Amino acid sequence: MAEQRDGTGHGGRNPGEAQGARDVGEAHARGATPEEARAWEELVATARRTVTDGLVVGTSGNVSVRVGDTVLVTPSGVPYDRLAPGDVTGVDLDGRQVLGTLVPTSELPMHLALHRSTGARAVVHTHAVHATAVSTLVTELPLIHYMAAALGGPVRVAPYATYGTDELAANMLRALDGRSGCLLQNHGTVTHGATLAQAYDRTAQLEWMCRVWLTAASVPGLSPSLLSRRQLTEVEERLRGYGQRG
């Protein structure tokens, strides 16, 4: 059947849908599959959200998402608001660039370590203010709130190592053992998930918990009450049945 046009010039689609189709088409023309092009679009939106929500400043932080054996990553030193569909940047699991010409993020070793060693499909790394501040004070985020259970348990702090190094990636993996989020000492946060939305939500939750602890701990003459490991375990059990069923 011939496509019916609605007077908009987009064959029945609204302008936003038409733009989305053009974006996917542009990325596809650069060698990305349609699935990779859609994932790139979501990755860029997530990266921009980290700036909008104040989790990064400038080009600090980075995001990745895995599609098959290809890991799409934000490029190094490019402001997120300037990224276009044709800027799609991807590497294989050994770090060889397979998509695009922009240099991948300097934190590529950290992202690849997670994608190779866990079931993570998406990774978000930020320099969130409160989380970074906490990373300089403790070796584990105090159990200020039960939502630590949503990250797998008490949030550990990975020992400091120079950014972009295999040492930092190894420290991060140890801190993430059994967890979906950790702090990087004097650096920031790393979270992972099955989707970009899940990884981002975990980042936002971690930053919120750090802010709560810093706020409570700053009250003169008082110390915040903390949860016990037993109380956290009880929450972990309840979270297994949390959400909609069906």
Side-chain angles (χ1 to χ4, degrees), residues 63-152:
V63 180
S64 70
V65 62
R66 181 174 174 179
V67 180
D69 289 331
T70 299
V71 178
L72 305 178
V73 295
T74 47
S76 179
V78 180
Y80 299 143
D81 61 357
R82 297 182 190 173
L83 289 176
D87 293 325
V88 59
T89 304
V91 300
D92 64 19
L93 291 170
D94 292 321
R96 292 184 292 263
Q97 189 154 358
V98 296
L99 286 173
T101 58
L102 294 175
V103 176
T105 172
S106 58
E107 295 290 11
L108 187 60
M110 200 162 61
H111 287 266
L112 290 179
L114 263 172
H115 287 292
R116 286 194 298 251
S117 304
T118 72
R121 307 300 293 187
V123 179
V124 175
H125 165 51
T126 78
H127 292 178
V129 173
H130 300 91
T132 303
V134 170
S135 80
T136 70
L137 299 171
V138 295
T139 58
E140 183 178 278
L141 175 62
L143 286 175
I144 192 69
H145 197 275
Y146 64 78
M147 282 306 291
L151 297 176

Side-chain angles (χ1 to χ4, degrees), residues 10 17 20 47 51 70 93 96 144 155 167 175 188 191 206 231 240:
H10 299 299
E17 290 173 336
V51 176
T70 299
L93 291 170
R96 292 184 292 263
I144 192 69
V155 178
E167 181 185 5
T191 59
L206 178 54
Q231 289 171 319
R240 293 191 185 100

Side-chain angles (χ1 to χ4, degrees), residues 199-223:
Y200 182 86
D201 287 346
R202 286 170 172 170
T203 296
Q205 188 68 59
L206 178 54
E207 167 67 357
W208 178 82
M209 285 192 293
C210 288
R211 184 176 183 180
V212 169
W213 181 70
L214 284 174
T215 301
S218 68
V219 178
L222 296 175
S223 296

